[in-house]
Amino acid sequence: MGIKALLWLVILAGVVCIESKFMVYNTSQGIVPGKLNVHLVAHTHDDVGWLKTVDQYYVGSNNSIQGACVQNVLDSLVPALLADPNRKFIYAFFQRWWRNQGEIIQNVVKQLLSSGQLEFINGGMCMHDEAATHYIDMIDQTTLGHRFIKEEFGIVPRIGWQIDPFGHSAVQAYLLGAELGFDSLFFGRIDYQDRAKRINEKSLEFVWQGSKSLGSSAQIFAGAFPKNYEPPPGGFYYEVNDDSPIVQDDINLFDYNVQERVDAFVAAAVSQANITRTNHIMWTMGTDFKYQYAHTWFRQMDKLIHYVNKDGRVNALYSTPSIYTDAKYATDESWPTKTDDFFPYADSANAFWTGYFTSRPALKRYVRIMSGYYLAARQLEFFKGRSSSGPNTDSLADALAIAQHHDAVTGTEKQHVANDYAKRLSIGYTEAEELVASSLSSLAQSTSNTGCKNPTLKFQQCPLLNISYCPGSEVDLSQGKKLVVVVYNSLGWKRNDVINENVTVYDFEGREIESQLLPPASAYVDLRNYYVRAYLGQSPTETPKYLLAFSVSVPPLGFSTYTISSAKKPGTGSTRSSVHRFQNSKKYTVEVGQGNLKLTFSTDQGKMINYVNSRSLVEESVEQSYSYYSGYNGSDKDPQNSGAYVFRPNGTFPIKPEGQTTRLHNGKEHAEVEFIVGPIPIDDGIGKEVATQITTSMVTNKTFYSDSNGRDFIKRIRDYRTDWDLEVNQPVAGNYYPINLGIYMQDNEKEFSILVDRSLGGSSIVDGQIELMLHRRLLLDDSKGVAEALNETVCVLNKCIGLTIQGKFYFRFDPLGEGAKWRRTFGQEIYSPLLLAFAEQDGDNGMSSHVASFSGIDSSYSLPDNVALITLQELDDGKVLLRLAHLYEIGEDKNLSVMTSVELKKLFPGKKIGEVTETNLSANQERTEMEKKRLVWKVEGSSREENKVVRGGPVDPAKLVVELAPMEIRTFVIDFNPESLRYVFDA
């Protein structure tokens, strides 16, 4: 026994001795000219919510769903990078971790950033979606992240990194890429047919010109990965629980495999080099929530770099997208060009990711409402003066930023995560609502009052107006009380609109104005009562008998005040409207409209049948219908279901609507269709996707136009792609496109346009017809990752029914070439609805002691018709962030697609402008510095005689006039002199 024990100790000592040898791996290799350079880009893709909430992902809770902890990634990353100065890593989910670190770790991280070992890419608060997002939201969330990075670290991100969104937009390329100052943009998901062609042609990397108006002045180098954003085939995954073979380089242990792994590396590298131009390729070494223990990845990459470079056939190096981009640029290669976008996206013949354009329509609407509200709230915050201690817009800004994530507004998250996004928006709104109320009260104070300390008017707003519930406006006026209504207009031009027992309405000058009482439809009353109970836990105490409608006129960036009271004389006050019902057995035609626009309805069919505009001389037969697609339920032969991501119809069936509301707006000469959809029945075990069709007699030749993130319009041709010969497998789903602003079609005489109130999917499946997908309820998962059916319900007293949604769309016919003005102008009004606030007032205590009308700009001025003010925000340092956007593309309108200008002195009356600094889009660097650093890429077939894009010129510090060319957005940081006064106006 003693001899055996001694032998065992000797063997053990030998083993310990062998293991104690320290192997130094040479990872210092840089780029080697003349060799194939394999750029290893270490990264992790950490969603800010998807299967788990953003908080659960960060702290690592709820791991029964997914084992993922962002804290672990960053905690382990720092020592892993410190272990070897050649190691590099890129990241984009950082702020909350940073704020939890002590001074020592923060200093270490700053050193890693300074040395280039750690690099911020993208730099926004999230990796936003590119289909269901509005361009203003994309700008705002990116600006929030970029300014944080600049203020904390003095760093300006260079690279766009949109690796996971499900298709890619033209606006992302030119606006959220080139106009940010990015040098390149990389992404993972493009159509499988497109990818196959690009692989064959070596055109996965190209120069993307996303704007036909800005052309080469806003182009960007872009690259689609050969397959996805993961390591290449061949076994190169190195998480603790991954099953890829490690590099076992200890000859004293079994399974030594250095040559085998080097051969696999070289084979994968050569394979990728054969489909890539130049001698540089990128390997994305990571994927979702990897690097939980970062050393497991870096240990293996150290070995690969060391042994591959000893082998000598290819050169491996730690790299970043910035290093890779610079290497590509240095080759002086000429690149193919790309225009338009990468929608729709399919990853197989029957898997078109076009369902998410509409998924979770209620959340999509909530995001859009909050977006417009945030724009207005920031304006009011500026007018009143930002407070660091009082209520502000910061919480809403954070919630909206996260909501732009590619698994948030898309509707592709689990239900409990969708609830979390909505909860965050609600919390943000609550604080912003308090700010808005106090700002309006302060601005409405009489000049005889000092400051805004004790405003006498206490305004209420209507966060549940989407379900016709607004307690602040539901008052009993029989006891002599009055209801004061303040109407705020966040647009830069004057606005005339209609706001939706006998009452009289007075304007801000005390004049009685025409109003109308509308009986609410029973469907809206039922919806209101049920959802108020679902949201608030109690039913409304009373149901209003009428909805009050009256015309308002509101100055730009300002408000008007209206007073509602009981009629003092019989026969005066609002006009009462009544509902007329027709017997189904009788045939009538009913003409609606008193002005230029008239619609004719057929009572026996319950459909509109004719549209006449006597001013524009446009007449067109038009019919609206509803239908549903049954969701494909999969099979053994083809298991692809319709789900949160994928739209795969299995037949279409007509729906006979129970009724809808169609209104005419003769001032704007368009029709407004208000619809209620739901609960979608599933008793038959079949999921359904509800759409509406608006059919005309127009001859449109398969062609229609849809917007890109609410900005440019892109020409679409049914069953056609500009970049490859499309093999049509899904004739409906494969022709759906994302819509944020609108969709239109035209023939030789007229245009037919539809504008929407939220992001959704749409198409023209039949010539002369536009189709919009309104709601989806499905019973099976589509196997794209969320592992949950898209089956939204609302519960009251433990009884759950399918979600009902309420919404609007708007349509109009115009002579050919004249529809853009309505689309652009009214599109801004949809995005920025009038903001309403209500206050009760006793008796004859009128508004005489208050400011009845207010405008934040010079009373003689308004913005040009082709310009929108998309950001007016006071920053933490007291400076002001201003963004002005030209609304029109080149050639879109004969009068408005021209250079225009804005006078800053009239935009800020009573304030002395000290300094105006033009910046890039996200306001983290001066525009002139960005242009100096911009990489100018060579493109195939380019001509030196190419027409140069004309942009607005520099701002003269004396004249302070901003020029804007078509589709140009200009961003400024303005410093007002300290003696400038806050906004004070006469009563």
Side-chain angles (χ1 to χ4, degrees), residues 110-125:
K110 287 180 179 179
Q111 292 171 8
L112 293 172
L113 288 165
S114 178
S115 68
Q117 280 190 266
L118 180 61
E119 179 177 322
F120 290 127
I121 37 84
N122 244 11
M125 298 298 288

Side-chain angles (χ1 to χ4, degrees), residues 839-878:
E840 282 191 52
Q841 201 168 57
D842 291 327
D844 293 325
N845 282 336
M847 289 290 292
S848 58
S849 62
H850 295 87
V851 175
S853 182
F854 157 86
S855 178
I857 67 177
D858 190 286
S859 59
S860 65
Y861 188 66
S862 65
L863 289 183
D865 290 343
N866 49 8
V867 174
L869 189 155
I870 62 172
T871 307
L872 178 59
Q873 177 181 1
E874 183 174 341
L875 302 173
D876 289 334
D877 58 6

Side-chain angles (χ1 to χ4, degrees), residues 16-65:
V16 171
C17 181
I18 293 171
E19 284 293 310
S20 69
K21 289 182 180 178
F22 182 71
M23 177 67 184
V24 177
Y25 298 105
N26 182 5
T27 60
S28 63
Q29 189 69 280
I31 292 170
V32 177
K35 269 193 177 182
L36 173 59
N37 292 277
V38 184
H39 295 249
L40 301 185
V41 175
H43 80 105
T44 181
H45 178 62
D46 297 345
D47 295 294
V48 290
W50 177 37
L51 308 182
K52 306 198 295 188
T53 69
V54 58
D55 288 351
Q56 290 169 349
Y57 272 135
Y58 178 68
V59 301
S61 62
N62 208 358
N63 283 333
S64 61
I65 293 178

Side-chain angles (χ1 to χ4, degrees), residues 23-286:
M23 177 67 184
V24 177
Y25 298 105
N26 182 5
T27 60
S28 63
Q29 189 69 280
I31 292 170
V32 177
K35 269 193 177 182
L36 173 59
N37 292 277
V38 184
H39 295 249
L40 301 185
V41 175
H43 80 105
T44 181
H45 178 62
D46 297 345
D47 295 294
V48 290
W50 177 37
L51 308 182
K52 306 198 295 188
T53 69
V54 58
D55 288 351
Q56 290 169 349
Y57 272 135
Y58 178 68
V59 301
S61 62
N62 208 358
N63 283 333
S64 61
I65 293 178
Q66 183 183 16
C69 176
V70 171
Q71 280 186 119
N72 288 349
V73 173
L74 289 163
D75 286 345
S76 70
L77 176 64
V78 173
L81 291 177
L82 288 174
D84 183 345
N86 298 307
R87 292 174 174 176
K88 292 178 174 59
F89 196 81
I90 60 172
Y91 202 68
F93 184 158
F94 191 77
Q95 187 186 67
R96 61 175 62 193
W97 178 85
W98 171 255
R99 289 174 174 168
N100 288 333
Q101 304 309 305
E103 184 179 355
I104 294 176
I105 294 297
Q106 287 191 347
N107 287 334
V108 169
V109 170
K110 287 180 179 179
Q111 292 171 8
L112 293 172
L113 288 165
S114 178
S115 68
Q117 280 190 266
L118 180 61
E119 179 177 322
F120 290 127
I121 37 84
N122 244 11
M125 298 298 288
C126 70
M127 187 180 293
H128 56 229
D129 181 56
E130 300 180 38
T133 45
H134 193 278
Y135 76 95
I136 294 178
D137 290 325
M138 298 163 81
I139 294 170
D140 285 342
Q141 82 85 16
T142 303
T143 300
L144 200 61
H146 278 199
R147 287 187 63 83
F148 163 76
I149 292 172
K150 183 63 178 290
E151 290 165 5
E152 288 284 347
F153 310 106
I155 289 174
V156 175
R158 291 183 56 199
I159 306 297
W161 190 254
Q162 290 289 109
I163 60 176
D164 198 25
F166 326 124
H168 304 281
S169 73
V171 160
Q172 177 65 36
Y174 83 86
L175 195 60
L176 278 301
E179 293 297 281
L180 290 174
F182 284 171
D183 289 321
S184 58
L185 169 64
F186 297 100
F187 45 89
R189 299 185 187 272
I190 63 174
D191 188 278
Y192 74 103
Q193 294 183 35
D194 189 10
R195 190 189 305 273
K197 182 173 184 288
R198 290 180 179 277
I199 285 173
N200 187 56
E201 296 177 348
K202 289 191 175 184
S203 60
L204 284 168
E205 294 174 327
F206 49 88
V207 171
W208 193 351
Q209 296 180 356
S211 170
K212 59 178 177 283
S213 298
L214 299 178
S216 60
S217 74
Q219 69 184 21
I220 191 168
F221 179 77
F225 301 137
K227 185 177 182 182
N228 50 36
Y229 54 86
E230 302 187 7
F236 300 99
Y237 293 78
Y238 299 120
E239 202 70 12
V240 172
N241 56 349
D242 283 334
D243 59 2
S244 292
I246 65 168
V247 181
Q248 207 296 84
D249 60 344
D250 189 335
I251 59 174
N252 297 294
L253 302 179
F254 294 137
D255 303 322
Y256 181 86
N257 65 353
V258 169
Q259 193 59 48
E260 177 186 321
R261 297 314 300 150
V262 168
D263 289 345
F265 186 102
V266 172
V270 170
S271 176
Q272 186 168 333
N274 287 335
I275 60 173
T276 308
R277 302 187 186 199
T278 79
N279 62 324
H280 297 276
I281 62 173
M282 182 197 300
W283 280 15
T284 48
M285 298 301 291

Side-chain angles (χ1 to χ4, degrees), residues 283-330:
W283 280 15
T284 48
M285 298 301 291
T287 184
D288 295 4
F289 297 99
K290 299 302 184 182
Y291 293 78
Q292 299 281 317
Y293 177 49
H295 193 62
T296 62
W297 282 83
F298 283 113
R299 179 193 292 126
Q300 300 307 316
M301 287 189 289
D302 287 351
K303 294 179 181 181
L304 287 172
I305 292 171
H306 178 84
Y307 290 114
V308 165
N309 291 340
K310 284 186 67 175
D311 175 85
R313 285 175 285 174
V314 301
N315 181 58
L317 67 151
Y318 279 121
S319 187
T320 67
S322 292
I323 295 172
Y324 180 77
T325 298
D326 290 339
K328 286 285 187 177
Y329 184 72

Side-chain angles (χ1 to χ4, degrees), residues 412-444:
T412 54
E413 66 274 37
K414 285 186 178 291
Q415 183 63 56
H416 77 105
V417 181
N419 296 341
D420 184 72
Y421 290 129
K423 181 179 179 179
R424 292 173 185 276
L425 288 170
S426 178
I427 292 171
Y429 170 82
T430 299
E431 183 172 354
E433 181 185 36
E434 186 179 349
L435 164 77
V436 166
S438 64
S439 297
L440 289 173
S441 296
S442 294
L443 294 170

Side-chain angles (χ1 to χ4, degrees), residues 916-928:
V916 177
T917 303
E918 184 169 11
T919 69
N920 68 330
L921 187 69
S922 59
N924 68 345
Q925 59 182 316
E926 291 189 19
R927 177 91 195 187
T928 53

